[in-house]
Amino acid sequence: MPRLITNTVVLAKVETTSGTDAVPTGAADAVLLADVSITPLDAQNIDRKLIRPFLGGAEQLVGPASVKATITVELAGSGTAGTAPKWGVLLQACGIAEANLTTPARNEYTPISSGMKTVTVYYYDDGVLHKLLGCMGNPKFSFKVGERPTLSVDLIGLDGGVSAVANPSATLTSWRVPPAITKANVVDITLGAAYAAGALTGGTTYNSTGLELELGNQVAFTPMLNSEFVQIADRAATGSMQLDLTAAQEVSLMASVKNNTTQSLAMTVGTAAGNKLIVHAPAVQLINPSKQELNGNRLIGFDLRLVPVSGNDELRLACV
């Protein structure tokens, strides 16, 4: 009987002690997948390079090894302002803190440089369980017109073993339906907006095809003789966008590129309380301008560099 790719269940839970199995369950920790893949053993194989009186290769020794997985989920709120969305656990594996705030009720996600958390991931592949322990990762966010908002996380974890185990029953009712990236559901890219307490003020809104961001975490598996671990050593957040600009706006933004100017960037996806996401970066440098085309219309593309102002503030996601 063939095994089906669609018969995949992923569980994820924040660890109390890094690298120690948090034992996620299908009832509390199931992930609603938009896409998923796994490298079940990413080994640093050791070539024996033997010299023998005949031609031919030798077997390799399996050296230090980690497990990699890429998990993509939809970015939807929990449905209740102040109640954290289920995908928050994945962001916590990426050096991002989850804060539950009031007045108004909301959840905010911002990067951190210490006190980072790790996550246990159980990856059930139609009867085969791969355990990833001490996981950390790099997140990528996509808010493109005509699509759904998504979070994709490239994870590296310690090899927690492989076993033949039946898939658990996965409870996914806490995962909500995201708003589509359409004109009715979005406040488009805004440059110069200020963020405070779950709201944006000011700035100039531009017509765009959406926004893509990446936190740029440098995630590495480090094997040693007495221990092994996964860590985030650094980050450099980047992104890209395409804007529909007037001639005057193009000239103005070209000047900001040449002058190495930074400015805030924001975008709001969703309109309903509990399912609205605000993206805000306080200091964004526009670089690498390019001429783009959409159905015969001129667009101007920019790459983005998101830099911190006071530290650990280069990107903020607020669920309100």
Side-chain angles (χ1 to χ4, degrees):
M1 189 78 176
R3 291 161 56 211
L4 298 177
I5 293 174
T6 55
N7 194 14
T8 299
V9 174
V10 170
L11 315 178
K13 185 178 180 179
V14 173
E15 295 172 345
T16 301
T17 302
S18 181
T20 299
D21 194 341
V23 195
T25 66
D29 307 301
V31 178
L32 180 58
L33 301 169
D35 196 12
V36 70
S37 65
I38 189 170
T39 301
L41 197 67
D42 186 35
Q44 302 171 22
N45 287 346
I46 303 164
D47 197 335
R48 294 184 65 196
K49 296 183 180 179
L50 300 175
I51 299 175
R52 299 175 292 189
F54 48 83
L55 302 179
E59 71 274 16
Q60 293 182 330
L61 305 179
V62 176
S66 61
V67 184
K68 294 182 177 180
T70 298
I71 298 173
T72 302
V73 298
E74 297 175 330
L75 282 173
S78 66
T80 303
T83 298
K86 296 291 288 185
W87 43 262
V89 64
L90 297 176
L91 287 187
Q92 290 182 74
C94 298
I96 294 176
E98 179 180 83
N100 300 313
L101 303 172
T102 58
T103 317
R106 64 194 187 280
N107 299 99
E108 292 190 1
Y109 297 87
T110 52
I112 53 179
S113 297
S114 62
M116 298 181 188
K117 297 181 179 180
T118 56
V119 168
T120 292
V121 172
Y122 283 10
Y123 188 117
Y124 291 87
D125 183 18
D126 198 356
V128 174
L129 168 60
H130 301 268
K131 290 187 179 182
L132 292 74
L133 308 179
C135 290
M136 303 195 84
N138 178 48
K140 302 173 184 177
F141 305 91
S142 180
F143 308 97
K144 298 293 289 182
V145 63
E147 299 180 3
R148 53 187 174 171
T150 59
L151 163 67
S152 181
V153 179
D154 295 326
L155 292 166
I156 300 177
L158 307 179
D159 180 13
V162 183
S163 57
V165 181
N167 286 14
S169 177
T171 301
L172 300 169
T173 51
S174 294
W175 291 81
R176 304 302 183 186
V177 177
I181 307 294
T182 63
K183 179 178 178 293
N185 295 328
V186 169
V187 178
D188 211 343
I189 291 173
T190 304
L191 299 179
Y195 173 85
L200 296 170
T201 55
T204 301
T205 300
Y206 295 84
N207 198 20
S208 82
T209 60
L211 180 65
E212 291 182 314
L213 299 172
E214 177 177 352
L215 195 56
N217 286 339
Q218 295 181 15
V219 187
F221 165 64
T222 301
M224 302 181 75
L225 292 179
N226 196 44
S227 66
E228 56 184 20
F229 53 89
V230 179
Q231 67 180 132
I232 297 172
D234 203 355
R235 65 173 178 264
T238 59
S240 63
M241 64 182 181
Q242 294 180 331
L243 303 182
D244 176 14
L245 301 174
T246 66
Q249 287 173 332
E250 180 180 350
V251 171
S252 177
L253 290 183
M254 282 293 294
S256 72
V257 171
K258 293 178 180 180
N259 292 328
N260 305 312
T261 302
T262 61
Q263 56 194 311
S264 67
L265 180 148
M267 186 177 189
T268 303
V269 178
T271 59
N275 200 13
K276 181 165 70 171
L277 180 66
I278 297 173
V279 181
H280 183 260
V284 177
Q285 182 186 16
L286 277 57
I287 61 173
N288 302 329
S290 60
K291 299 284 189 177
Q292 305 290 332
E293 179 271 342
L294 177 64
N295 295 334
N297 299 299
R298 172 59 68 214
L299 300 180
I300 308 300
F302 297 96
D303 291 334
L304 310 172
R305 291 189 63 83
L306 284 62
V307 297
V309 176
S310 301
N312 301 315
D313 58 357
E314 61 263 47
L315 179 63
R316 182 185 304 272
L317 280 76
C319 298
V320 298

